[in-house]
Amino acid sequence: SSATEAGDCSETYDGAPTVTLRAAPDAGWVFTRWGGQCEGATLTTSVAMTAARQCSATFVQRVTLTVSRDGNGDGVITGEGINCGTDCNQAYDFGAVVALQARAAAGSVFSGWSGDCRVSNRGGGADVTMNEDATCTATFQRRVELRVNFDGAGAGRVTLDPGNRQCSSDCTNAFDMNDQVLLVAVPDRNTVFRGWSGDCLADPSNAELASVRMDSDKSCTARFMARFTLTIRKAGTGDGVVVAGENNDIDCGDRCSAVFDEGTRVNLNV
């Protein structure tokens, strides 16, 4: 004889036959093992009915984890059975705790998790407890580069914020997409700052300040001009006055030296 039952059940057999049992899990469930006086982990098992027997079948619910990527950057999500990129869905036993790891590709940065996952203390990691179907999303943002060029014979530095970074010569720094970067030019002694060019926007109220929105790779140039001192010395037994500079910076007589930017052509008049 044969019987098909869901839930606890019993069946009476005459004589001492060998009874074959077959487990048939419903959709969304998986059979894991036989118990009691039946053994094995395959779907079928046999029991000899030489006496009353008791067998149990264990079924575990299966739930699906779906992971996805968001943002304008690139990266992969890995976990047990997941490599997304390409493999972004996996079924797990009910109650399983799944560890996920987000890894940004070169030129991108991982910026966070959303959905049903819980951020872990692993860098870029998250965990999800599979008590039901779940979804998790990792966001990757593209990194963009700001090139700062130095022009002129003078010396100085440029500070960049966010990050409080400093450059004293040509440099390249990476920022998150759409960061608003503030640049500050700080000239050294005997140097004067003479302005910004390129993609940055100078502050109209403070020439040493500029800003740039990092919606793509950008380039800014800071011009530092060296300052040199011109000194007039009069010789001979006579008397006279030497005047030099567009604004009469030197009037020697009284003022016999002045500081000029590199490359300035100074006319001297006696």
Side-chain angles (χ1 to χ4, degrees):
S1 64
S2 63
T4 301
E5 298 282 349
D8 294 343
C9 58
S10 62
E11 186 75 15
T12 301
Y13 297 91
D14 295 331
T18 296
V19 177
T20 298
L21 302 176
R22 179 176 178 82
D26 289 343
W29 292 74
V30 63
F31 170 76
T32 59
R33 66 184 182 277
W34 294 100
Q37 293 166 309
C38 293
E39 297 179 349
T42 60
L43 289 176
T44 59
T45 190
S46 298
V47 57
M49 296 301 298
T50 57
R53 304 294 187 187
Q54 182 176 351
C55 295
S56 63
T58 300
F59 298 90
V60 176
Q61 185 179 1
R62 297 284 277 178
V63 285
T64 299
L65 173 61
T66 301
V67 298
S68 61
R69 297 174 298 172
D70 195 14
N72 55 27
D74 193 18
V76 297
I77 306 168
T78 57
E80 182 183 349
I82 285 179
N83 187 1
C84 182
T86 54
D87 184 6
C88 300
N89 299 276
Q90 183 65 31
Y92 298 96
D93 291 350
F94 181 87
V97 177
V98 181
L100 298 173
Q101 188 70 38
R103 293 181 175 86
S108 296
V109 62
F110 168 70
S111 61
W113 290 99
S114 59
D116 298 314
C117 47
R118 180 181 67 256
V119 176
S120 73
N121 57 9
R122 306 182 308 275
D127 300 321
V128 56
T129 301
M130 297 301 298
N131 292 329
E132 59 184 345
D133 290 342
T135 61
C136 291
T137 299
T139 299
F140 299 95
Q141 297 291 348
R142 188 167 78 88
R143 299 278 275 174
V144 285
E145 291 186 340
L146 174 59
R147 172 79 175 175
V148 177
N149 300 305
F150 284 68
D151 187 26
R157 67 184 187 275
V158 174
T159 63
L160 303 96
D161 204 41
N164 193 27
R165 313 173 204 191
Q166 295 197 19
C167 301
S168 55
S169 59
D170 293 352
C171 64
T172 301
N173 289 269
F175 293 92
D176 291 346
M177 178 69 76
N178 292 321
D179 270 356
Q180 187 77 16
V181 179
L182 175 66
L183 301 93
V184 182
V186 183
D188 287 352
R189 185 179 179 183
N190 297 324
T191 296
V192 63
F193 178 68
R194 289 303 188 197
W196 298 98
S197 59
D199 296 316
C200 51
L201 179 65
D203 188 323
S205 62
N206 185 339
E208 294 179 350
L209 302 182
S211 61
V212 58
R213 184 177 179 83
M214 297 302 299
D215 52 5
S216 64
D217 292 339
K218 296 293 178 71
S219 175
C220 295
T221 299
R223 184 170 178 79
F224 292 94
M225 304 293 288
R227 301 274 280 170
F228 299 106
T229 300
L230 172 62
T231 300
I232 304 297
R233 292 187 176 91
K234 295 185 292 183
T237 58
D239 194 17
V241 174
V242 178
V243 178
E246 289 185 0
N247 300 310
N248 294 334
D249 304 277
I250 292 177
D251 187 355
C252 184
D254 298 323
R255 299 186 309 279
C256 293
S257 65
V259 178
F260 297 92
D261 286 357
E262 62 177 273
T264 300
R265 185 178 183 83
V266 181
N267 294 318
L268 293 88
N269 299 294
V270 177

